Amino acid sequence: MEDSFLHKGLRKKLINEIRRKDLEDEAVLNAIERVPRHCFMDSSFVKFAYKDQAFPIGAGQTISQPYTVAFQTSLLQIKKRDKVLEIGTGSGYQAAVLIEMGANVFSIERHKELYLKAKATLSELNYHPHLFYGDGYLGLPTYGPFDKILITAAAPDVPNRLLEQMNTGGRLVVPIGKFGSQIMTLVEKTGENDYITSEHGYFVFVPMVKGKE
Ligand code: SAH
């Protein structure tokens, strides 16, 4: 799909809208400005691609709101060459934003249909994360440890298996809570068994579900 001047202009407007919501992490905003979100959307929603909203992507799932993508990415404090594990590939959009920030991205999706679609979209756009079809609760023990872990679905609590796959100095971001509203939670791993947990406001995500489909 073409990335036209119109799309680029709409992305600039979107960036300004996110900035007005008090998110001023320029590295993150620059990455979002480079990713053609319309290429990750279902055909019926393409015209809304640069609205700051979540939209359906099939299998009952959604592409996250750009503000939420910016917020989670900002909390991660991505550095170039960070090894990042994402749970919930979905459309692949968030993975592309992480790649634009210089991360080495590993992403897991539990819906085969979405995994296959994201794989095709990302490679067409020349983004090359390591994509896996599986249950994110298990992480990727043989590929870790990771510097950063991002969960893009609502979990009931911080998945311990994932914390074990994170380097000391690492950051894990996860929306914690039940259906309808979750608290964005940051866990910083400060030592082998030491963690600092902080909360960063309310968001709405689809649930993190065990197993794969
Ligand atoms: N990051 C995505 C947002 C997708 S919504 C994007 O940029 O488009 C959350 C995704 O998490 C859904 O696709 C859902 O299928 C997936 N998911 C939920 N539980 C999961 C699990 N246990 N393992 C892997 N993926 C999971």
Side-chain angles (χ1 to χ4, degrees):
M1 196 181 289
E2 195 204 356
D3 191 24
S4 68
F5 280 110
L6 175 67
H7 293 125
K8 291 190 173 98
L10 290 171
R11 275 207 298 282
K12 271 213 179 333
K13 280 174 87 171
L14 173 65
I15 296 304
N16 287 330
E17 196 176 330
I18 296 173
R19 220 184 249 120
R20 278 198 302 276
K21 293 178 182 169
D22 268 350
L23 202 148
E24 295 180 5
D25 184 329
E26 291 303 320
V28 171
L29 293 174
N30 285 338
I32 288 185
E33 191 166 345
R34 286 194 294 273
V35 180
R37 189 175 188 244
H38 61 283
C39 300
F40 294 85
M41 309 265 299
D42 256 21
S43 50
S44 37
F45 296 104
V46 165
K47 57 181 175 295
F48 304 122
Y50 297 105
K51 284 198 176 300
D52 192 18
Q53 287 175 22
F55 289 100
I57 52 171
Q61 308 303 316
T62 53
I63 178 171
S64 301
Q65 180 184 349
Y67 173 79
T68 304
V69 171
F71 195 90
Q72 288 199 297
T73 310
S74 181
L75 278 181
L76 285 172
Q77 293 185 358
I78 300 291
K79 294 195 211 66
K80 282 209 167 57
R81 286 178 291 282
D82 266 353
K83 212 166 146 180
V84 181
L85 173 63
E86 178 195 24
I87 310 301
T89 314
S91 66
Y93 175 71
Q94 169 77 72
V97 171
L98 292 167
I99 289 171
E100 286 287 0
M101 299 206 60
N104 180 14
V105 178
F106 296 72
S107 185
I108 312 176
E109 172 55 53
R110 67 181 292 280
H111 277 287
K112 186 130 203 203
E113 162 195 346
L114 297 179
Y115 156 78
L116 291 171
K117 196 162 174 216
K119 199 173 175 163
T121 309
L122 286 160
S123 76
E124 199 174 307
L125 291 168
N126 225 0
Y127 291 117
H128 299 288
H130 309 272
L131 298 180
F132 300 83
Y133 166 54
D135 180 359
Y137 271 105
L138 308 176
L140 294 171
T142 53
Y143 292 86
F146 299 94
D147 302 306
K148 310 282 162 68
I149 299 180
L150 172 59
I151 303 178
T152 68
D157 41 37
V158 180
N160 277 329
R161 298 274 279 268
L162 298 183
L163 279 184
E164 287 163 10
Q165 294 174 32
M166 192 162 74
N167 283 321
T168 298
R171 297 162 79 85
L172 177 146
V173 171
V174 55
I176 300 271
K178 297 211 172 77
F179 181 79
S181 173
Q182 301 93 35
I183 297 181
M184 193 63 77
T185 307
L186 167 67
V187 184
E188 296 168 80
K189 188 163 181 171
T190 52
E192 189 66 28
N193 287 305
D194 297 319
Y195 300 95
I196 298 175
T197 301
S198 53
E199 296 181 345
H200 301 267
Y202 289 91
F203 289 81
V204 182
F205 283 81
V206 293
M208 185 170 174
V209 180
K210 287 207 165 83
K212 53 185 182 178
E213 284 180 34

PDB file of all heavy atoms in Angstrom, residues 57 61-64 86-95 108-111 114 134-137 152-153 206-211, ligand 1:
ATOM      1  N   ILE A  57      -9.061  -5.504  14.164  1.00  0.00           N
ATOM      2  CA  ILE A  57      -8.119  -6.060  13.168  1.00  0.00           C
ATOM      3  C   ILE A  57      -8.466  -7.505  12.827  1.00  0.00           C
ATOM      4  O   ILE A  57      -7.687  -8.205  12.185  1.00  0.00           O
ATOM      5  CB  ILE A  57      -6.654  -5.997  13.665  1.00  0.00           C
ATOM      6  CG1 ILE A  57      -6.526  -6.627  15.066  1.00  0.00           C
ATOM      7  CG2 ILE A  57      -6.143  -4.558  13.661  1.00  0.00           C
ATOM      8  CD1 ILE A  57      -5.081  -6.799  15.538  1.00  0.00           C
ATOM      9  N   GLN A  61      -9.835  -8.844  17.947  1.00  0.00           N
ATOM     10  CA  GLN A  61      -8.730  -8.070  18.546  1.00  0.00           C
ATOM     11  C   GLN A  61      -8.674  -6.666  17.943  1.00  0.00           C
ATOM     12  O   GLN A  61      -9.378  -6.359  16.990  1.00  0.00           O
ATOM     13  CB  GLN A  61      -7.402  -8.809  18.319  1.00  0.00           C
ATOM     14  CG  GLN A  61      -7.449 -10.263  18.764  1.00  0.00           C
ATOM     15  CD  GLN A  61      -7.834 -10.408  20.221  1.00  0.00           C
ATOM     16  OE1 GLN A  61      -7.350  -9.698  21.084  1.00  0.00           O
ATOM     17  NE2 GLN A  61      -8.745 -11.340  20.502  1.00  0.00           N
ATOM     18  N   THR A  62      -7.817  -5.815  18.514  1.00  0.00           N
ATOM     19  CA  THR A  62      -7.724  -4.432  18.028  1.00  0.00           C
ATOM     20  C   THR A  62      -6.276  -3.989  17.857  1.00  0.00           C
ATOM     21  O   THR A  62      -5.386  -4.497  18.531  1.00  0.00           O
ATOM     22  CB  THR A  62      -8.382  -3.445  19.030  1.00  0.00           C
ATOM     23  OG1 THR A  62      -7.811  -3.663  20.328  1.00  0.00           O
ATOM     24  CG2 THR A  62      -9.887  -3.614  19.095  1.00  0.00           C
ATOM     25  N   ILE A  63      -6.075  -3.027  16.952  1.00  0.00           N
ATOM     26  CA  ILE A  63      -4.797  -2.316  16.881  1.00  0.00           C
ATOM     27  C   ILE A  63      -4.922  -1.225  17.941  1.00  0.00           C
ATOM     28  O   ILE A  63      -5.943  -0.531  18.018  1.00  0.00           O
ATOM     29  CB  ILE A  63      -4.539  -1.741  15.464  1.00  0.00           C
ATOM     30  CG1 ILE A  63      -3.215  -0.964  15.401  1.00  0.00           C
ATOM     31  CG2 ILE A  63      -5.678  -0.870  14.959  1.00  0.00           C
ATOM     32  CD1 ILE A  63      -2.821  -0.568  13.948  1.00  0.00           C
ATOM     33  N   SER A  64      -3.898  -1.088  18.813  1.00  0.00           N
ATOM     34  CA  SER A  64      -3.991  -0.142  19.927  1.00  0.00           C
ATOM     35  C   SER A  64      -4.102   1.300  19.428  1.00  0.00           C
ATOM     36  O   SER A  64      -3.654   1.632  18.320  1.00  0.00           O
ATOM     37  CB  SER A  64      -2.758  -0.250  20.823  1.00  0.00           C
ATOM     38  OG  SER A  64      -2.626  -1.547  21.341  1.00  0.00           O
ATOM     39  N   GLU A  86       7.796  -8.573  22.736  1.00  0.00           N
ATOM     40  CA  GLU A  86       6.414  -8.064  22.759  1.00  0.00           C
ATOM     41  C   GLU A  86       5.443  -9.246  22.845  1.00  0.00           C
ATOM     42  O   GLU A  86       5.591 -10.220  22.100  1.00  0.00           O
ATOM     43  CB  GLU A  86       6.111  -7.265  21.479  1.00  0.00           C
ATOM     44  CG  GLU A  86       4.671  -6.752  21.449  1.00  0.00           C
ATOM     45  CD  GLU A  86       4.189  -6.260  20.082  1.00  0.00           C
ATOM     46  OE1 GLU A  86       4.742  -6.694  19.058  1.00  0.00           O
ATOM     47  OE2 GLU A  86       3.246  -5.466  20.049  1.00  0.00           O
ATOM     48  N   ILE A  87       4.467  -9.145  23.732  1.00  0.00           N
ATOM     49  CA  ILE A  87       3.414 -10.159  23.792  1.00  0.00           C
ATOM     50  C   ILE A  87       2.163  -9.547  23.168  1.00  0.00           C
ATOM     51  O   ILE A  87       1.651  -8.534  23.654  1.00  0.00           O
ATOM     52  CB  ILE A  87       3.107 -10.586  25.248  1.00  0.00           C
ATOM     53  CG1 ILE A  87       4.379 -10.948  26.011  1.00  0.00           C
ATOM     54  CG2 ILE A  87       2.084 -11.732  25.255  1.00  0.00           C
ATOM     55  CD1 ILE A  87       5.194 -12.066  25.437  1.00  0.00           C
ATOM     56  N   GLY A  88       1.678 -10.166  22.083  1.00  0.00           N
ATOM     57  CA  GLY A  88       0.496  -9.652  21.390  1.00  0.00           C
ATOM     58  C   GLY A  88       0.886  -8.873  20.142  1.00  0.00           C
ATOM     59  O   GLY A  88       0.756  -7.653  20.089  1.00  0.00           O
ATOM     60  N   THR A  89       1.355  -9.582  19.108  1.00  0.00           N
ATOM     61  CA  THR A  89       1.777  -8.930  17.855  1.00  0.00           C
ATOM     62  C   THR A  89       0.614  -8.185  17.213  1.00  0.00           C
ATOM     63  O   THR A  89       0.819  -7.098  16.655  1.00  0.00           O
ATOM     64  CB  THR A  89       2.288  -9.980  16.842  1.00  0.00           C
ATOM     65  OG1 THR A  89       3.169 -10.882  17.500  1.00  0.00           O
ATOM     66  CG2 THR A  89       2.981  -9.329  15.662  1.00  0.00           C
ATOM     67  N   GLY A  90      -0.583  -8.786  17.285  1.00  0.00           N
ATOM     68  CA  GLY A  90      -1.769  -8.159  16.689  1.00  0.00           C
ATOM     69  C   GLY A  90      -1.536  -7.825  15.228  1.00  0.00           C
ATOM     70  O   GLY A  90      -1.203  -8.683  14.412  1.00  0.00           O
ATOM     71  N   SER A  91      -1.659  -6.541  14.892  1.00  0.00           N
ATOM     72  CA  SER A  91      -1.463  -6.098  13.512  1.00  0.00           C
ATOM     73  C   SER A  91       0.015  -6.007  13.132  1.00  0.00           C
ATOM     74  O   SER A  91       0.350  -5.933  11.953  1.00  0.00           O
ATOM     75  CB  SER A  91      -2.073  -4.704  13.349  1.00  0.00           C
ATOM     76  OG  SER A  91      -1.335  -3.775  14.141  1.00  0.00           O
ATOM     77  N   GLY A  92       0.902  -5.938  14.138  1.00  0.00           N
ATOM     78  CA  GLY A  92       2.329  -5.750  13.872  1.00  0.00           C
ATOM     79  C   GLY A  92       2.752  -4.292  13.992  1.00  0.00           C
ATOM     80  O   GLY A  92       3.937  -3.962  13.901  1.00  0.00           O
ATOM     81  N   TYR A  93       1.792  -3.396  14.217  1.00  0.00           N
ATOM     82  CA  TYR A  93       2.096  -1.955  14.241  1.00  0.00           C
ATOM     83  C   TYR A  93       3.077  -1.592  15.366  1.00  0.00           C
ATOM     84  O   TYR A  93       4.082  -0.908  15.133  1.00  0.00           O
ATOM     85  CB  TYR A  93       0.792  -1.164  14.385  1.00  0.00           C
ATOM     86  CG  TYR A  93       0.998   0.319  14.537  1.00  0.00           C
ATOM     87  CD1 TYR A  93       1.432   1.087  13.462  1.00  0.00           C
ATOM     88  CD2 TYR A  93       0.790   0.952  15.759  1.00  0.00           C
ATOM     89  CE1 TYR A  93       1.647   2.451  13.604  1.00  0.00           C
ATOM     90  CE2 TYR A  93       0.995   2.319  15.907  1.00  0.00           C
ATOM     91  CZ  TYR A  93       1.428   3.054  14.823  1.00  0.00           C
ATOM     92  OH  TYR A  93       1.642   4.405  14.973  1.00  0.00           O
ATOM     93  N   GLN A  94       2.793  -2.048  16.570  1.00  0.00           N
ATOM     94  CA  GLN A  94       3.680  -1.717  17.692  1.00  0.00           C
ATOM     95  C   GLN A  94       5.098  -2.267  17.451  1.00  0.00           C
ATOM     96  O   GLN A  94       6.082  -1.603  17.769  1.00  0.00           O
ATOM     97  CB  GLN A  94       3.092  -2.300  18.988  1.00  0.00           C
ATOM     98  CG  GLN A  94       4.009  -2.273  20.192  1.00  0.00           C
ATOM     99  CD  GLN A  94       4.148  -0.908  20.847  1.00  0.00           C
ATOM    100  OE1 GLN A  94       3.219  -0.435  21.486  1.00  0.00           O
ATOM    101  NE2 GLN A  94       5.309  -0.278  20.692  1.00  0.00           N
ATOM    102  N   ALA A  95       5.189  -3.452  16.865  1.00  0.00           N
ATOM    103  CA  ALA A  95       6.503  -4.038  16.561  1.00  0.00           C
ATOM    104  C   ALA A  95       7.274  -3.115  15.609  1.00  0.00           C
ATOM    105  O   ALA A  95       8.478  -2.891  15.783  1.00  0.00           O
ATOM    106  CB  ALA A  95       6.333  -5.427  15.952  1.00  0.00           C
ATOM    107  N   ILE A 108       5.261 -12.285  20.030  1.00  0.00           N
ATOM    108  CA  ILE A 108       4.451 -13.519  20.053  1.00  0.00           C
ATOM    109  C   ILE A 108       2.966 -13.178  19.892  1.00  0.00           C
ATOM    110  O   ILE A 108       2.481 -12.241  20.519  1.00  0.00           O
ATOM    111  CB  ILE A 108       4.608 -14.275  21.392  1.00  0.00           C
ATOM    112  CG1 ILE A 108       6.082 -14.411  21.783  1.00  0.00           C
ATOM    113  CG2 ILE A 108       3.943 -15.640  21.333  1.00  0.00           C
ATOM    114  CD1 ILE A 108       6.308 -15.067  23.142  1.00  0.00           C
ATOM    115  N   GLU A 109       2.268 -13.968  19.066  1.00  0.00           N
ATOM    116  CA  GLU A 109       0.823 -13.792  18.882  1.00  0.00           C
ATOM    117  C   GLU A 109       0.128 -15.153  19.011  1.00  0.00           C
ATOM    118  O   GLU A 109       0.587 -16.138  18.459  1.00  0.00           O
ATOM    119  CB  GLU A 109       0.535 -13.165  17.504  1.00  0.00           C
ATOM    120  CG  GLU A 109      -0.923 -13.099  17.102  1.00  0.00           C
ATOM    121  CD  GLU A 109      -1.806 -12.377  18.131  1.00  0.00           C
ATOM    122  OE1 GLU A 109      -1.488 -11.238  18.507  1.00  0.00           O
ATOM    123  OE2 GLU A 109      -2.815 -12.989  18.550  1.00  0.00           O
ATOM    124  N   ARG A 110      -1.000 -15.196  19.725  1.00  0.00           N
ATOM    125  CA  ARG A 110      -1.693 -16.463  19.961  1.00  0.00           C
ATOM    126  C   ARG A 110      -2.750 -16.791  18.905  1.00  0.00           C
ATOM    127  O   ARG A 110      -3.282 -17.900  18.889  1.00  0.00           O
ATOM    128  CB  ARG A 110      -2.330 -16.490  21.358  1.00  0.00           C
ATOM    129  CG  ARG A 110      -3.485 -15.509  21.548  1.00  0.00           C
ATOM    130  CD  ARG A 110      -4.041 -15.588  22.949  1.00  0.00           C
ATOM    131  NE  ARG A 110      -4.708 -16.856  23.215  1.00  0.00           N
ATOM    132  CZ  ARG A 110      -5.944 -17.158  22.825  1.00  0.00           C
ATOM    133  NH1 ARG A 110      -6.656 -16.287  22.144  1.00  0.00           N
ATOM    134  NH2 ARG A 110      -6.456 -18.325  23.114  1.00  0.00           N
ATOM    135  N   HIS A 111      -3.108 -15.830  18.039  1.00  0.00           N
ATOM    136  CA  HIS A 111      -4.061 -16.092  16.955  1.00  0.00           C
ATOM    137  C   HIS A 111      -3.289 -16.320  15.659  1.00  0.00           C
ATOM    138  O   HIS A 111      -2.617 -15.398  15.171  1.00  0.00           O
ATOM    139  CB  HIS A 111      -5.001 -14.894  16.753  1.00  0.00           C
ATOM    140  CG  HIS A 111      -6.154 -14.882  17.692  1.00  0.00           C
ATOM    141  ND1 HIS A 111      -7.218 -15.752  17.569  1.00  0.00           N
ATOM    142  CD2 HIS A 111      -6.408 -14.129  18.773  1.00  0.00           C
ATOM    143  CE1 HIS A 111      -8.087 -15.524  18.529  1.00  0.00           C
ATOM    144  NE2 HIS A 111      -7.615 -14.541  19.284  1.00  0.00           N
ATOM    145  N   LEU A 114      -3.851 -13.781  12.826  1.00  0.00           N
ATOM    146  CA  LEU A 114      -3.203 -12.475  13.000  1.00  0.00           C
ATOM    147  C   LEU A 114      -1.689 -12.584  12.836  1.00  0.00           C
ATOM    148  O   LEU A 114      -1.046 -11.708  12.248  1.00  0.00           O
ATOM    149  CB  LEU A 114      -3.539 -11.887  14.381  1.00  0.00           C
ATOM    150  CG  LEU A 114      -5.019 -11.582  14.616  1.00  0.00           C
ATOM    151  CD1 LEU A 114      -5.231 -11.035  16.019  1.00  0.00           C
ATOM    152  CD2 LEU A 114      -5.543 -10.590  13.584  1.00  0.00           C
ATOM    153  N   GLY A 134       2.320 -18.450  19.243  1.00  0.00           N
ATOM    154  CA  GLY A 134       2.350 -19.226  20.483  1.00  0.00           C
ATOM    155  C   GLY A 134       1.700 -18.476  21.624  1.00  0.00           C
ATOM    156  O   GLY A 134       1.042 -17.453  21.425  1.00  0.00           O
ATOM    157  N   ASP A 135       1.907 -19.010  22.838  1.00  0.00           N
ATOM    158  CA  ASP A 135       1.326 -18.416  24.043  1.00  0.00           C
ATOM    159  C   ASP A 135       2.359 -17.528  24.736  1.00  0.00           C
ATOM    160  O   ASP A 135       3.359 -18.010  25.263  1.00  0.00           O
ATOM    161  CB  ASP A 135       0.872 -19.540  24.988  1.00  0.00           C
ATOM    162  CG  ASP A 135       0.249 -18.993  26.263  1.00  0.00           C
ATOM    163  OD1 ASP A 135       0.178 -17.750  26.420  1.00  0.00           O
ATOM    164  OD2 ASP A 135      -0.167 -19.805  27.097  1.00  0.00           O
ATOM    165  N   GLY A 136       2.073 -16.241  24.745  1.00  0.00           N
ATOM    166  CA  GLY A 136       2.990 -15.263  25.327  1.00  0.00           C
ATOM    167  C   GLY A 136       3.249 -15.457  26.815  1.00  0.00           C
ATOM    168  O   GLY A 136       4.268 -14.994  27.328  1.00  0.00           O
ATOM    169  N   TYR A 137       2.335 -16.148  27.507  1.00  0.00           N
ATOM    170  CA  TYR A 137       2.562 -16.400  28.932  1.00  0.00           C
ATOM    171  C   TYR A 137       3.862 -17.177  29.153  1.00  0.00           C
ATOM    172  O   TYR A 137       4.478 -17.084  30.211  1.00  0.00           O
ATOM    173  CB  TYR A 137       1.396 -17.186  29.544  1.00  0.00           C
ATOM    174  CG  TYR A 137       0.294 -16.304  30.069  1.00  0.00           C
ATOM    175  CD1 TYR A 137      -0.911 -16.171  29.380  1.00  0.00           C
ATOM    176  CD2 TYR A 137       0.442 -15.600  31.262  1.00  0.00           C
ATOM    177  CE1 TYR A 137      -1.930 -15.358  29.859  1.00  0.00           C
ATOM    178  CE2 TYR A 137      -0.569 -14.785  31.749  1.00  0.00           C
ATOM    179  CZ  TYR A 137      -1.751 -14.671  31.049  1.00  0.00           C
ATOM    180  OH  TYR A 137      -2.752 -13.856  31.526  1.00  0.00           O
ATOM    181  N   THR A 152       0.955  -6.179  25.345  1.00  0.00           N
ATOM    182  CA  THR A 152      -0.033  -5.276  24.747  1.00  0.00           C
ATOM    183  C   THR A 152      -1.444  -5.824  24.909  1.00  0.00           C
ATOM    184  O   THR A 152      -2.349  -5.491  24.136  1.00  0.00           O
ATOM    185  CB  THR A 152       0.282  -4.986  23.256  1.00  0.00           C
ATOM    186  OG1 THR A 152       0.089  -6.186  22.502  1.00  0.00           O
ATOM    187  CG2 THR A 152       1.693  -4.497  23.062  1.00  0.00           C
ATOM    188  N   ALA A 153      -1.651  -6.682  25.913  1.00  0.00           N
ATOM    189  CA  ALA A 153      -2.983  -7.183  26.271  1.00  0.00           C
ATOM    190  C   ALA A 153      -3.082  -7.125  27.794  1.00  0.00           C
ATOM    191  O   ALA A 153      -2.065  -7.119  28.485  1.00  0.00           O
ATOM    192  CB  ALA A 153      -3.147  -8.613  25.767  1.00  0.00           C
ATOM    193  N   VAL A 206      -7.600  -5.390  25.182  1.00  0.00           N
ATOM    194  CA  VAL A 206      -8.228  -6.712  25.093  1.00  0.00           C
ATOM    195  C   VAL A 206      -7.464  -7.621  26.063  1.00  0.00           C
ATOM    196  O   VAL A 206      -6.312  -7.356  26.382  1.00  0.00           O
ATOM    197  CB  VAL A 206      -8.155  -7.290  23.646  1.00  0.00           C
ATOM    198  CG1 VAL A 206      -9.007  -6.463  22.697  1.00  0.00           C
ATOM    199  CG2 VAL A 206      -6.712  -7.366  23.139  1.00  0.00           C
ATOM    200  N   PRO A 207      -8.104  -8.705  26.536  1.00  0.00           N
ATOM    201  CA  PRO A 207      -7.434  -9.529  27.551  1.00  0.00           C
ATOM    202  C   PRO A 207      -6.294 -10.398  27.019  1.00  0.00           C
ATOM    203  O   PRO A 207      -6.306 -10.810  25.857  1.00  0.00           O
ATOM    204  CB  PRO A 207      -8.574 -10.417  28.079  1.00  0.00           C
ATOM    205  CG  PRO A 207      -9.626 -10.388  27.049  1.00  0.00           C
ATOM    206  CD  PRO A 207      -9.479  -9.130  26.261  1.00  0.00           C
ATOM    207  N   MET A 208      -5.319 -10.654  27.886  1.00  0.00           N
ATOM    208  CA  MET A 208      -4.272 -11.631  27.605  1.00  0.00           C
ATOM    209  C   MET A 208      -4.860 -13.002  27.963  1.00  0.00           C
ATOM    210  O   MET A 208      -5.356 -13.197  29.066  1.00  0.00           O
ATOM    211  CB  MET A 208      -3.048 -11.329  28.470  1.00  0.00           C
ATOM    212  CG  MET A 208      -1.863 -12.212  28.181  1.00  0.00           C
ATOM    213  SD  MET A 208      -0.404 -11.581  29.029  1.00  0.00           S
ATOM    214  CE  MET A 208       0.777 -12.874  28.665  1.00  0.00           C
ATOM    215  N   VAL A 209      -4.833 -13.911  26.985  1.00  0.00           N
ATOM    216  CA  VAL A 209      -5.505 -15.199  27.135  1.00  0.00           C
ATOM    217  C   VAL A 209      -4.483 -16.323  27.022  1.00  0.00           C
ATOM    218  O   VAL A 209      -3.573 -16.250  26.187  1.00  0.00           O
ATOM    219  CB  VAL A 209      -6.585 -15.348  26.017  1.00  0.00           C
ATOM    220  CG1 VAL A 209      -7.319 -16.674  26.132  1.00  0.00           C
ATOM    221  CG2 VAL A 209      -7.570 -14.187  26.077  1.00  0.00           C
ATOM    222  N   LYS A 210      -4.632 -17.346  27.871  1.00  0.00           N
ATOM    223  CA  LYS A 210      -3.686 -18.472  27.826  1.00  0.00           C
ATOM    224  C   LYS A 210      -3.919 -19.356  26.600  1.00  0.00           C
ATOM    225  O   LYS A 210      -5.035 -19.419  26.074  1.00  0.00           O
ATOM    226  CB  LYS A 210      -3.838 -19.318  29.095  1.00  0.00           C
ATOM    227  CG  LYS A 210      -3.278 -18.646  30.326  1.00  0.00           C
ATOM    228  CD  LYS A 210      -2.835 -19.665  31.376  1.00  0.00           C
ATOM    229  CE  LYS A 210      -1.954 -19.025  32.426  1.00  0.00           C
ATOM    230  NZ  LYS A 210      -2.691 -18.339  33.484  1.00  0.00           N
ATOM    231  N   GLY A 211      -2.878 -20.025  26.151  1.00  0.00           N
ATOM    232  CA  GLY A 211      -2.986 -20.957  25.033  1.00  0.00           C
ATOM    233  C   GLY A 211      -2.979 -20.232  23.694  1.00  0.00           C
ATOM    234  O   GLY A 211      -2.784 -19.021  23.628  1.00  0.00           O
TER     235      GLY A 211
HETATM  236  N1  SAH B   1       0.441  -4.791  19.630  1.00  0.00           N
HETATM  237  C1  SAH B   1      -0.738  -4.961  18.815  1.00  0.00           C
HETATM  238  C2  SAH B   1      -1.998  -4.802  19.647  1.00  0.00           C
HETATM  239  C3  SAH B   1      -2.750  -6.055  19.582  1.00  0.00           C
HETATM  240  S1  SAH B   1      -4.088  -6.272  20.736  1.00  0.00           S
HETATM  241  C4  SAH B   1      -0.736  -4.020  17.618  1.00  0.00           C
HETATM  242  O1  SAH B   1       0.151  -3.150  17.529  1.00  0.00           O
HETATM  243  O2  SAH B   1      -1.597  -4.152  16.750  1.00  0.00           O
HETATM  244  C5  SAH B   1      -3.435  -7.574  21.742  1.00  0.00           C
HETATM  245  C6  SAH B   1      -3.025  -8.846  21.043  1.00  0.00           C
HETATM  246  O3  SAH B   1      -2.559  -9.727  22.062  1.00  0.00           O
HETATM  247  C7  SAH B   1      -4.147  -9.576  20.320  1.00  0.00           C
HETATM  248  O4  SAH B   1      -3.776  -9.766  18.984  1.00  0.00           O
HETATM  249  C8  SAH B   1      -4.257 -10.909  21.067  1.00  0.00           C
HETATM  250  O5  SAH B   1      -4.584 -11.998  20.225  1.00  0.00           O
HETATM  251  C9  SAH B   1      -2.866 -11.050  21.658  1.00  0.00           C
HETATM  252  N2  SAH B   1      -2.752 -11.930  22.820  1.00  0.00           N
HETATM  253  C10 SAH B   1      -3.599 -12.050  23.884  1.00  0.00           C
HETATM  254  N3  SAH B   1      -3.143 -12.973  24.753  1.00  0.00           N
HETATM  255  C11 SAH B   1      -1.962 -13.443  24.231  1.00  0.00           C
HETATM  256  C12 SAH B   1      -1.031 -14.437  24.639  1.00  0.00           C
HETATM  257  N4  SAH B   1      -1.189 -15.142  25.759  1.00  0.00           N
HETATM  258  N5  SAH B   1       0.046 -14.641  23.872  1.00  0.00           N
HETATM  259  C13 SAH B   1       0.224 -13.959  22.700  1.00  0.00           C
HETATM  260  N6  SAH B   1      -0.628 -13.025  22.249  1.00  0.00           N
HETATM  261  C14 SAH B   1      -1.716 -12.769  23.003  1.00  0.00           C
END
